[in-house]
Amino acid sequence: MAWLSHRQLTRSCLDLGLMSQSPGWAQTQATDYMTICRIDHNGGLVSLPDSQNSICIPEGHVPPGQVQEVSLKVNLETPHGLNTLYTTTMSPLLEVGLSNLNTKEGITVELKLDGVVKNDPLSQVMTTLVGLVSDKKEGPYGKVKDCYIQENVMQIKLQHLRNHFYAIAAAEATDIQFPATSVWDYLDHKLMVAVYGPRYIHPSFKAVMVVSCHNDIPSRLPFSDIRRGNRNLPPVVLHLWGKHQLKIETLKDLLVDIGITNSTFKVKAEDERKEVKPSKLKLEKVLHFPFELFHSGNAQITCFDIDLQVQESNSVTIANVLVPSPTVAPVRSEKRASKQLGSQMEMERYILEEVVIESLKFQDISLNLQWYGVALKSVLRQPRMEYLLEYFKGDTLALLSRETVWSIGNFKEKEWYIGFLRGRTGLVHCKNLKLITREQVIDFTGINITTEVLLDNMTLPFRKLTYMYSAIQTLVTAHITSWRNFADALGYSNLSLDTITHRHTENEADKVACVLEKLKEDCHAEKSRRKFQHKLMVVS
């Protein structure tokens, strides 16, 4: 649920027109970057893939048999109140969530510093690096006493933990003496310039130049500056093309000229020059500068380099950055195939259809359950929870196992059985059940469970998940070797290959892909109760 709550519907930038005409065909990708880990009594290290910030859980942090669920999220946009003349942030804002407060040892938060204090005596005396922690994103933030700096990493040791808090590193100046105008003049900061664009280049598309004071640059960027008609389209996830770090002595107004080298691509005239204001960078804002590229002429589309010339206001060039573009989108096999097929190819296709590889058949059999329970009270849930069973006092429930599931809340721990009743599996609180043996069961109505029913219940969560169709297609075509067996399992045994395919197929993988596409069309059709991922998981 935590993972689902941090995902948003986004569109692939490959074919927006097709997706707007066919709901459900849009690909989805995560637009927020976070990680969730479960750490047991032995401890461990939790870090984000695209970040150098982490949390160290020592051994013995939680009692044996219990776990600590840790969630991490990095926010590049830091709170405004922490960036003043005397204070500035030195790392991204780290959002931390803990599930278990029954702890014996504290934790250590490690923050990668984005800059250092200058070596001159005045800067060293006037500036101090501190660690700040707060319960709320906007503050107020309090200083942490146990802070240590090793090279460019600040370690903050926390003993008094909360379920949700924010941590950040900051530089604090005791006084501002001329010629310094703010705490920024006591620091050596570096600027990161990055370019994001689509996964493949197209005749016309938008890219984004990002300027930030943070070293942590994510590999993907949600971009929502797209309109069609009078409505805003959902954000497109752009990929990182390249990044470059600039070292600047004093922060001044900067001009960035965007050009293209050795290519027929051009930058739209109004997007050729971008202006970077130091006042926004001092507030630790991440600046986004979109620019549009288009292909001119009849030449073939090829890769190119984006030339970024970073200049000061007095036309002094600071850096010249070259960022290579990705490749052209690959041509699909049906576009390469000839429209007219020879009679020999048709004959080969019909011969291949007759070859069917025998596969294992799913057996729907009844399960021999040994443990049962009688409900001691009635439990009706509003709103209804899919993973929790509803039952009435006196109901007989089947238990899949005597092993229990532990859940650790804010105030107490709960122990659950995995039960089955009236065609559904779910969790049942142990205190609400009285265990009985099979011989003590009087009424078996509603607790006859088969392998097919169990499989359907196990795959129910897939009805709630979003998916990327191209990734699923790659997995299916790589692991399923017979299109005929795949079609039979999906209920297409009465359909021929000509009915399923709408294009020429060269090999077995293409035929499997056509069957998968047929399933997706049927699941996304109107008044269809089937869910694509759920049906695919049951069949697989």
Side-chain angles (χ1 to χ4, degrees), residues 371-402:
W371 297 100
Y372 298 83
V374 177
L376 301 178
K377 60 183 293 188
S378 298
V379 176
L380 298 178
R381 307 183 185 279
Q382 295 294 334
R384 185 177 179 181
M385 301 293 182
E386 299 253 354
Y387 55 90
L388 298 177
L389 277 183
E390 293 183 342
Y391 43 88
F392 296 96
K393 184 177 180 180
D395 280 344
T396 302
L397 292 80
L399 303 182
L400 301 186
S401 172
R402 287 207 63 182

Side-chain angles (χ1 to χ4, degrees), residues 125 129 365 437 473:
V125 171
L129 298 181
I365 59 176
T437 62
Q473 185 183 39

